Amino acid sequence: MSTILREQPLINEPPYAVDKRRVEEILAKAEACVGLSAEQAAELLALPAHFDEQLFASAKRVKQKLYGARLVLFAPLYISNLCTNSCLYCSFRQENTLLTRRKLSQAEIAEQANFLINMGHKRVLLEAGEDPTAVPLGYVLESIHTIYSAGSPGREIRRVNVNIAATATENYRKLRDAGIGTYQLFQETYHQPTYRLLHPRGPKADYGYHLTAMDRAIEAGIEDFGLGVLLGLYDYRQDTTSLIAHAHALKSLHGIGPHTVSVPRLRPASNTHCPDTYQVNDQQFARVVAVLRLALPLTGIILSTREAPAMRDFLLDVGVSQMSAASSTAPGGYGKESDSRQFEGIDHRSLEEVVGSIIRRGYVPSFCTGCYRKGRRGAGFMQLVAHGHIKDMCQANALLTLAEYVLQFASPSTKEAANERWESWLRAIPAGVMRDNAREKLRLALAGEGDVYV
Ligand code: SAM
Ligand code: SF4
């Protein structure tokens, strides 16, 4: 096991003997990629620390089986930090008078998008505080259009995912029509008394409205949605199992499970007053990632720069499938120093450094936006994952988008590392039409043809 986890206090040993056969049964079910119930996930979260190796290895196998070696990269783009809410943990909260407030103009948003494009990014997560008057939905829609219009053919943002406040069905319809990728919203905590304590005022104080946001989004035709809890607000085991229960409930009600689950962990944020009673240590955090991978095998797991480089590298082997890289959490923060951040990030590596380290750890960095543009979304996408068909498409598209990155942005050492591996990466796709097609398209991409995908 990584040394990163050895120094952490261990998860308390339960006061009862663990039934090893039961654990093996649960893990066998998980490795059949059929998911776990919230109760089974709770059993895994309660295991003593010496089960970690086994859990992490199972999670790794499940990720490998369904998604292969690809790791999708993206960056957040904050368009505004104006907020009428009072979330105690967030520096954007209304009461924080020490924060410089900014709502970017469309020209500034285009500038930020161009900055990310020139780094090599193709996927953006648009983020904003909640201020229905100063930051209405019309402004968000215009911003999405601005981001999609930035750059030039071949050098552009191809997928804009969105993480904005819970809203009404008609607004979700407008977001869908604006061509968003995934709509993400974190429940923060499912524990109602804690939620109430941490969200004392503003529209977000309405627990029920927040909790039912995805039902409205799905009703409006948004097929790819992302859930999350802010780990560190309440007991991580309860919030993780509640998140799993939420995912299962949405699947049984609407026929679609979450496209992604994010695992933000609480970070220091300026002028905030969040109790630290429920801090989640590295070992517990890694356990959460593994259990989510086992319980929701078809769902992407997103890790942000809230985690340190060593932790992020380690979690590649525990089932993470998407990562932000080279992020700024301040509106206008790319290319400029800014004191208007939402919280302190901890992985300050450049995109190039992250790409290099992913390759060195045996994974394939991917900037793919293929599924979304080919209409492989929602329940249809899930079916492809469940039948093991996405893995090979992911591998092909990861190679094609990495080739584009390597040609335009990579350092000589990353270029060399990729050049040494194209053939072995291609061979990870089973021999036949798929591999031949990927090989031919890779030849085109490496010859400079942009935006090639399957
Ligand atoms: N304002 C919307 C909302 O709160 O739903 C949009 C998302 S907000 C810009 C992004 C997320 O950042 C929040 O959902 C929250 O989980 C997370 N966040 C806020 N403060 C944080 C902190 N101190 N550490 C880590 N994550 C934080
Ligand atoms: Fe506003 Fe979102 Fe921060 Fe809460 S988490 S204060 S809603 S930006």
Side-chain angles (χ1 to χ4, degrees):
M1 186 196 299
S2 161
T3 49
I4 186 169
L5 300 185
R6 281 203 201 113
E7 290 145 24
Q8 301 293 326
L10 295 179
I11 290 172
N12 290 336
E13 300 286 323
Y16 51 83
V18 175
D19 179 348
K20 285 194 186 143
R21 286 234 330 257
R22 171 82 186 141
V23 176
E24 271 155 27
E25 239 173 68
I26 296 177
L27 291 181
K29 180 182 173 204
E31 289 204 36
C33 300
V34 292
L36 298 177
S37 67
E39 293 74 16
Q40 290 162 334
E43 286 184 59
L44 295 185
L45 285 167
L47 289 173
H50 64 264
F51 281 94
D52 275 350
E53 302 269 7
Q54 209 179 335
L55 289 186
F56 297 162
S58 274
K60 183 178 179 177
R61 283 193 289 272
V62 169
K63 157 45 171 85
Q64 187 61 34
K65 210 186 268 181
L66 294 181
Y67 280 105
R70 65 86 156 140
L71 197 282
V72 171
L73 292 167
F74 71 96
L77 200 170
Y78 282 70
I79 58 170
S80 164
N81 61 11
L82 276 61
C83 196
T84 53
N85 287 310
S86 303
C87 316
L88 294 195
Y89 44 83
C90 177
S91 71
F92 290 177
R93 70 198 173 84
Q94 189 173 35
E95 293 76 10
N96 185 3
T97 50
L98 302 181
L99 185 83
T100 310
R101 298 286 169 174
R102 292 200 65 189
K103 172 189 167 188
L104 300 187
S105 68
Q106 296 304 316
E108 287 171 322
I109 292 170
E111 198 179 287
Q112 293 287 290
N114 278 315
F115 193 93
L116 293 172
I117 290 168
N118 291 330
M119 245 189 242
H121 277 296
K122 298 284 185 281
R123 302 166 62 103
V124 149
L125 174 62
L126 180 152
E127 307 222 32
E130 179 172 16
D131 188 334
T133 312
V135 186
L137 189 79
Y139 165 77
V140 175
L141 297 173
E142 203 184 341
S143 307
I144 293 167
H145 179 70
T146 299
I147 298 169
Y148 275 133
S149 310
S152 54
R155 286 173 76 109
E156 69 269 280
I157 297 298
R158 299 174 187 155
R159 177 170 175 134
V160 180
N161 297 330
V162 171
N163 182 359
I164 59 164
T167 187
T169 311
E170 73 212 55
N171 287 342
Y172 285 126
R173 217 164 273 132
K174 290 178 187 163
L175 284 168
R176 181 205 61 191
D177 294 345
I180 66 163
T182 309
Y183 171 67
Q184 299 182 8
L185 185 71
F186 308 153
Q187 185 58 31
E188 319 296 10
T189 174
Y190 285 89
H191 186 248
Q192 214 164 340
T194 305
Y195 187 96
R196 239 184 265 127
L197 192 78
L198 298 177
H199 306 95
R201 281 172 296 280
K204 194 167 164 180
D206 188 338
Y207 179 92
Y209 191 71
H210 199 80
L211 183 67
T212 51
M214 290 312 172
D215 300 274
R216 293 189 296 281
I218 296 168
E219 197 185 314
I222 290 182
E223 292 178 273
D224 290 346
F225 61 88
L227 304 179
V229 281
L230 183 51
L231 293 156
L233 298 186
Y234 183 60
D235 181 289
Y236 71 97
R237 302 176 211 196
Q238 284 206 36
D239 268 338
T240 304
T241 49
S242 300
L243 173 78
I244 293 165
H246 189 188
H248 290 329
L250 289 169
K251 173 86 179 12
S252 62
L253 271 171
H254 305 285
I256 322 179
H259 187 70
T260 56
V261 164
S262 299
V263 286
R265 182 161 55 152
L266 193 62
R267 293 283 308 147
S270 72
N271 200 15
T272 54
H273 308 285
C274 190
D276 59 6
T277 326
Y278 292 107
Q279 279 184 13
V280 179
N281 71 31
D282 284 350
Q283 188 207 9
Q284 294 163 337
F285 184 68
R287 177 75 74 89
V288 167
V289 172
V291 170
L292 285 172
R293 171 49 64 224
L294 296 170
L296 304 172
L298 312 183
T299 298
I301 298 183
I302 305 182
L303 194 64
S304 72
T305 54
R306 291 172 181 88
E307 299 305 325
M311 189 64 186
R312 285 174 26 113
D313 284 350
F314 175 74
L315 291 175
L316 285 172
D317 286 338
V318 184
V320 161
S321 54
Q322 297 192 23
M323 268 187 192
S324 54
S327 306
S328 166
T329 67
Y334 290 110
K336 291 181 194 115
E337 272 302 302
S338 174
D339 62 352
S340 51
R341 281 188 298 270
Q342 190 188 19
F343 54 83
E344 303 293 330
I346 186 172
D347 182 348
H348 302 296
R349 292 174 297 176
S350 66
L351 177 60
E352 172 59 22
E353 287 169 309
V354 173
V355 165
S357 109
I358 292 169
I359 295 176
R360 279 194 302 280
R361 297 201 57 106
Y363 293 88
V364 192
S366 174
F367 298 89
C368 174
T369 55
C371 281
Y372 148 77
R373 291 190 294 155
K374 288 243 175 181
R376 297 189 292 257
R377 294 160 172 248
F381 174 85
M382 294 294 180
Q383 283 291 320
L384 287 170
V385 182
H387 292 112
H389 298 319
I390 277 297
K391 179 180 163 188
D392 301 330
M393 285 181 207
C394 283
Q395 180 79 359
N397 282 332
L399 298 187
L400 300 174
T401 52
L402 181 63
E404 210 176 356
Y405 174 86
V406 163
L407 281 189
Q408 295 179 22
F409 307 102
S411 67
S413 67
T414 298
K415 242 177 219 159
E416 197 184 322
N419 287 340
E420 281 168 8
R421 290 168 173 83
W422 297 123
E423 187 52 37
S424 63
W425 281 336
L426 276 172
R427 284 177 184 280
I429 303 170
V433 181
M434 190 74 190
R435 192 199 284 173
D436 295 345
N437 190 24
R439 188 185 294 284
E440 175 52 17
K441 289 213 153 106
L442 181 61
R443 193 185 61 73
L444 295 175
L446 287 171
E449 192 168 321
D451 201 12
V452 190
Y453 59 102
V454 297

